[in-house]
Amino acid sequence: MINKLLSHIDYKTLFNSLGQGIVYIDHSGLIAFQNKAAEQMFAAVPSFRTGESVYHQPWHLFTKRDEPLANNDFPAIAVLKTHRSVSNAILKIALPERQPIWLDVNADPVAAENSPGIAGVILTLVDLTETMTEKQRLRSSEEKYRRFFLSNKSATFLATKEGQYLDVGLGAETLFGYTVDELKTIGRDRIIVQDENFEKAVKQRNERGSVVAEVEGRRKDGSVFPMLWHANLFTTSAGEELVSVVMIDLTEKAELEKQAERSKYNLDLVLKNTDYAFAIVDRQLRFVTFNNAYRRTIETLYNQRIDENACLLDLFAAAQKEKVEKTFAEVFAGSQKLFTDAATEGEAEVYYETTLQPLKEGSRVIGAYISRRNVTQIVAAIKKTQDLQFSLDLVMENSEDGIAVLDANYVVQSVNEPFNKTMQLVHGRKVVPGDCLMDFINSNRKPFLEETFKEVLRGEKKELTFETTNGRGEPMVYLSALLPLCKDGHAVGIFILSKDVTAAFLANREAAAVKARLERAATASYDIISERNLKTGAVKRNEAFREVLGYNESDFAQPAEAELHLIHPDDRQAVTTAIAEQMAAGHFIVKLPVYRVQHRDGHCVYVDTRMMVTRDESGEPYLLTTVASDVTEFLQLQRSLVEANEALQRQTEDLKRSNTELERFAYVASHDLQEPLRMVSSFLSLIKKRYNSLLDDTGRQYIHFATDGALRMKALIQDLLQFSRIGTDKGNKEPVDTAKLVNGLLDEFVFTVSEKGAKISVKPLPVVLAVKSNLTHVFQNLLSNALKYATHPEIEIGAEEEEEEWRFYVKDNGIGIDAKFFEKIFVLFQQLHTKNEYSGTGIGLAIVKKIIDQSGGRIWVESAVGQGSTFFFTVPKSETNNP
Ligand code: ADP
């Protein structure tokens, strides 16, 4: 039928004139046609257009009772599937971001002309959106009222228009305090305050047939309370006009409203005055409200003024608008946004943090709540902490000291290498961020440390010394400072700074030991030691002070003055001047002349004193250490030595003088004696020659004695002369071949040798540096003695080389010498025998000794009586040793 219709009239005009919506959908589901009314109904569904498919619609379908339906249950699709009509399906089409559409749908198949299937579906639609929305609203208000009615605070009445109660619900008793019967008797005038307000409500009821008004009720006890008066006029089947009344206690509501009013007022006050900026925009981004702070932020951020009704979008440049709209679209879709803007305010940079939140009424987003706060300080603080964080890292990386940062649960947040070096040494492993430091602590130490950590977290600073040993058992000492890390005034962690003070600690301990040793040494010292603090005047003295000077500590009433007064008055000035001068010159050690100190018993003690000046950092002397040695005995000894030396010197000079005199005398004597002796000898030989025949035997014997005496005297004088000459005539040194010299001498002695049958052996002899005539004398004398004092002489002459000298010897097998005469034989005129036993003058060995002494050598004898004698003498090799 419709096909016919369609083919014969201008169906479009027809359909468009209909108030109902008409949609034709072909067999494939394509929307082939819709009239104006349908277009309007589906205005909110852009995809529901001619040419689009009915299968792909973005909507959600619900039944009248809000039960969800599958999209395939949309009547058009159902008919395409079943070929059966659907009538009066009431549907809710829910669309994203849009108000739902309510439709009353009839769907009928359109039969295909040449095939058994259908050509399409025709939908007839009635728009129920407005009706259904209204209904829903009603339903929700009904709901509200139903809650009022059901509450036991409501009272129900059936009354006459004049206010006489015909029937009263039980709730009224609770509300007013009267019984139902009392209420029926007393009527409304007693339980409703008859004021202007009530009269107005009654008037309204009479005019409109119904009223809901807030009036004041009065209880039996006289108290007045706000209540809702809901009156409905109605006519009974008997034609009587009656009123149904519900009265509800609004005390609570009024209270709530008052509260709401108050809080609203408060809120307004707060919002208007707070620095916390806020604004509300509706979905069209028009401002609903904003506070002063918000307005200020707009001025700062966008350099614009706003007033109510302004649109947020107008604040933005065209290019930004799209972005803003997009952002708000997301907010309206339910998400929250947070972003920070930077702007300059004068010179300074300011930061605002903006929060956008959807503003909902029920589940519907009706706008957005914008709040904004100035986070400049926070940003600055964050930047600062970032800087600080940076510098902390830098500090930690570069510090030689161990650093660790713990949170409030002692969990390591960061730690540096030196800290871990210690951990490695002490605990054998490192800590890494995330470790709990307590896990590293020995259980016996844990309680103490935990207590300490807690104190730090309470805001205290702590310093701990850890004494421990490393893996090799060597001592390790750490000084740790524990500081609370605070945030907003609360300790949120612990900062640990750990310093290896082992070296200092050991040095300290060593220094203390050294100090103790020094103190012991000072106490035990024989030196008088005192230490004076120049700032405090305090003086310390050692034991020697008492022992050497006899004073006790108690003898010094004024310790600083005392020592000066001990100095002998004659020395005092010199000492004080020396101290003052050397201290002023900046000397560290002050040397003093030896001075006298008075012993407690009055005698003087000489002291040799040094003072050590210890200066502070500014160079000011503050400690004076005095060390004084008692040199009294030493000085006495020195004095007696000097005296002895002087005496010796005098003696030596006397001796020298007398020696010289003696030598001169010996020379003069022997020289001058020669002449008279020669005369005596000449005349004796003349007497013997001329008068020998005239003399008897006795006379001849006397002359023999006289001649003999003169001969001996001659020998004596010659020897003496020779002796005395040795001192005066030193002669020149020259290399002397001693072997040649000795062999020459043996020629001279050839007569004696053969007479005595002497055996002489000459060992190899060296060439030495000597005065040849002197050395000849020496050998001559020793050789002649060796021949003289032996009966059958066996003589050995030799030399032995020493490092610095030659040692010669002349060994015989003669009578020998008693040890007690070893010295005597070298003295002038000393003879061990009478001239009758052995000839000689007793000068020979004295001459030999004098020669050897003068040449820097030594002479001695080794012998025993009857065992022969060996005479030794030395000749120095080098000339320097010669005098
Ligand atoms: P004299 O001219 O008497 O020998 P000397 O000065 O040569 O004087 O010697 C002193 C004394 O030393 C000698 O009188 C002798 O008693 C003793 N004397 C010296 N040489 C020997 C010797 N080879 N054997 C024993 N006695 C000796």
Side-chain angles (χ1 to χ4, degrees), residues 548-834:
V548 177
L549 297 177
Y551 294 95
N552 291 321
E553 203 58 37
S554 57
D555 291 329
F556 303 107
Q558 288 169 302
E561 288 296 305
E563 272 152 66
L564 203 61
H565 284 106
L566 299 184
I567 300 176
H568 192 282
D570 293 350
D571 295 343
R572 213 174 283 164
Q573 186 58 46
V575 170
T576 46
T577 311
I579 294 174
E581 278 175 0
Q582 292 180 57
M583 294 254 284
H587 292 184
F588 284 96
I589 292 190
V590 175
K591 287 180 198 155
L592 297 180
V594 172
Y595 60 87
R596 285 162 290 174
V597 178
Q598 279 161 327
H599 191 277
R600 197 164 187 256
D601 65 14
H603 80 264
C604 276
V605 175
Y606 284 84
V607 289
D608 184 9
T609 306
R610 271 158 199 249
M611 290 178 152
M612 268 74 72
V613 186
T614 312
R615 288 162 200 273
D616 63 16
E617 284 134 27
S618 61
E620 273 298 301
Y622 81 94
L623 206 66
L624 199 60
T625 312
T626 311
V627 180
S629 312
D630 177 1
V631 292
T632 314
E633 266 179 39
F634 173 75
L635 280 182
Q636 279 164 359
L637 201 70
Q638 201 180 35
R639 205 168 300 134
S640 53
L641 258 175
V642 168
E643 280 165 10
N645 213 23
E646 280 168 2
L648 197 71
Q649 195 75 29
R650 273 196 304 276
Q651 263 176 10
T652 312
E653 269 162 26
D654 285 354
L655 257 172
K656 248 189 209 162
R657 210 169 30 245
S658 65
N659 207 30
T660 318
E661 275 166 16
L662 182 71
E663 275 175 7
R664 197 175 299 133
F665 164 76
Y667 177 78
V668 169
S670 50
H671 188 268
D672 290 359
L673 279 172
Q674 271 187 320
E675 187 50 36
L677 183 62
R678 241 193 317 270
M679 266 174 72
V680 172
S681 304
S682 318
F683 282 100
L684 276 175
S685 56
L686 275 176
I687 289 170
K688 201 182 167 187
K689 219 183 205 175
R690 291 223 190 135
Y691 306 103
N692 197 33
S693 52
L694 297 178
L695 292 174
D696 60 3
D697 282 349
T698 311
R700 276 194 291 276
Q701 201 172 10
Y702 286 167
I703 286 180
H704 173 74
F705 284 147
T707 310
D708 190 45
L711 273 177
R712 273 200 290 128
M713 193 167 195
K714 187 186 172 193
L716 248 175
I717 288 171
Q718 275 176 345
D719 278 358
L720 255 181
L721 203 57
Q722 199 185 7
F723 178 81
S724 61
R725 272 202 192 114
I726 292 163
T728 49
D729 177 18
K730 283 180 182 164
N732 286 324
K733 282 192 176 172
E734 55 183 319
V736 179
D737 186 344
T738 49
K740 229 179 187 175
L741 189 149
V742 169
N743 284 322
L745 276 176
L746 287 180
D747 289 345
E748 278 181 34
F749 286 107
V750 74
F751 177 72
T752 320
V753 170
S754 70
E755 189 187 47
K756 283 202 146 188
K759 290 178 186 161
I760 297 175
S761 113
V762 180
K763 300 282 171 194
L765 291 173
V767 174
V768 297
L769 199 64
V771 179
K772 194 177 178 183
S773 56
N774 286 348
L775 200 58
T776 311
H777 263 298
V778 172
F779 277 111
Q780 202 174 30
N781 264 297
L782 294 179
L783 208 53
S784 90
N785 280 349
L787 285 167
K788 182 160 67 181
Y789 296 105
T791 322
H792 305 289
E794 286 180 18
I795 298 168
E796 185 181 310
I797 302 166
E800 269 160 29
E801 189 173 8
E802 297 290 320
E803 200 173 329
E804 291 182 339
E805 59 192 5
W806 284 97
R807 192 176 69 229
F808 293 90
Y809 63 88
V810 179
K811 187 181 174 189
D812 64 46
N813 59 342
I815 57 171
I817 303 164
D818 192 329
K820 65 185 172 202
F821 302 121
F822 283 178
E823 297 289 321
K824 206 181 166 186
I825 54 171
F826 295 102
V827 177
L828 204 59
F829 306 126
Q830 294 295 329
Q831 289 176 295
L832 302 180
H833 315 279
T834 62

